[in-house]
Amino acid sequence: SGTVKDLVEGARIISSSKLTIPSSDQTAMESVANNIYTYTYRSPIAQVGSTTYYSLKDAIAAVTVMGTVKVLQDTTLDNITNINNGVDLTIDLNGKTVSATGAQNVFTLSGTESAAVSLTIKDSVGGGKIDASGKTGGNTIVAVRDYATFNWEGGKLTGKTGSAGGPAVRLEKATSEFN
């Protein structure tokens, strides 16, 4: 007996009845084959303050005004991530790789005159990168639009080359900045 949090990674519970996982507990994933329920522990992907998240998108969405998202393990970010409404966000790659997929920009920054937006990407450990070489479209890694600032403090950006690739950073408006 015990809770899902007591399970060891890779453990299996075989029983005639299903283990009940509270909907708020996202540390375990359930799979079923031949009436065997397998529960696999999931490690958090990112952290904001002391709160952990199981997707980078969820961690980024949790920052509504100002905050730092620390990447805890290599992960994939698919399609576009919009950062707007006056958010001042820092993403610490923490030596990890964020692989970008999909056909859209990886990050699109768009603010207003009264609610400017800022994204800072840094790498506190070294070796961290955003790898957009798996993207299916030629869009940008970071599109900086109205009243938006992009600060690059560390890590590496990699993407496609040739006609299939877009620029790593694209300034789209007169009120955009890249530092």
Side-chain angles (χ1 to χ4, degrees):
S1 81
T3 66
V4 171
K5 290 184 182 183
D6 295 329
L7 292 177
V8 176
E9 183 173 354
R12 286 188 344 166
I13 298 173
I14 302 173
S15 73
S16 60
S17 63
K18 181 177 171 182
L19 179 68
T20 302
I21 301 175
S23 61
S24 62
D25 185 357
Q26 295 186 10
T27 60
M29 291 179 56
E30 175 186 270
S31 60
V32 179
N34 300 322
N35 281 334
I36 297 175
Y37 293 85
T38 303
Y39 297 87
T40 306
Y41 177 77
R42 296 188 318 167
S43 298
I45 300 291
Q47 180 175 346
V48 178
S50 62
T51 304
T52 55
Y53 296 87
Y54 297 94
S55 82
L56 184 54
K57 263 195 193 275
D58 288 347
I60 290 169
V63 177
T64 57
V65 177
M66 176 185 269
T68 298
V69 172
K70 183 177 183 179
V71 181
L72 300 177
Q73 61 179 305
D74 293 350
T75 189
T76 299
L77 190 61
D78 59 352
N79 288 320
I80 196 166
T81 301
N82 291 307
I83 300 168
N84 48 29
N85 299 327
V87 171
D88 184 355
L89 173 67
T90 298
I91 297 175
D92 180 358
L93 296 172
N94 190 36
K96 308 300 184 222
T97 298
V98 176
S99 298
T101 61
Q104 304 288 325
N105 302 324
V106 180
F107 299 103
T108 298
L109 315 178
S110 186
T112 64
E113 190 171 3
S114 62
V117 171
S118 175
L119 171 64
T120 300
I121 295 181
K122 68 179 189 175
D123 184 16
S124 61
V125 174
K129 66 181 176 179
I130 296 176
D131 181 0
S133 61
K135 287 178 60 53
T136 57
N139 282 304
T140 299
I141 296 174
V142 181
V144 187
R145 296 188 173 156
D146 277 328
Y147 302 99
T149 301
F150 174 58
N151 302 297
W152 184 254
E153 294 182 0
K156 184 177 180 182
L157 291 176
T158 60
K160 289 186 174 186
T161 58
S163 62
V169 178
R170 183 176 66 230
L171 302 178
E172 295 184 356
K173 304 289 182 173
T175 55
S176 58
E177 292 182 33
F178 175 37
N179 300 312

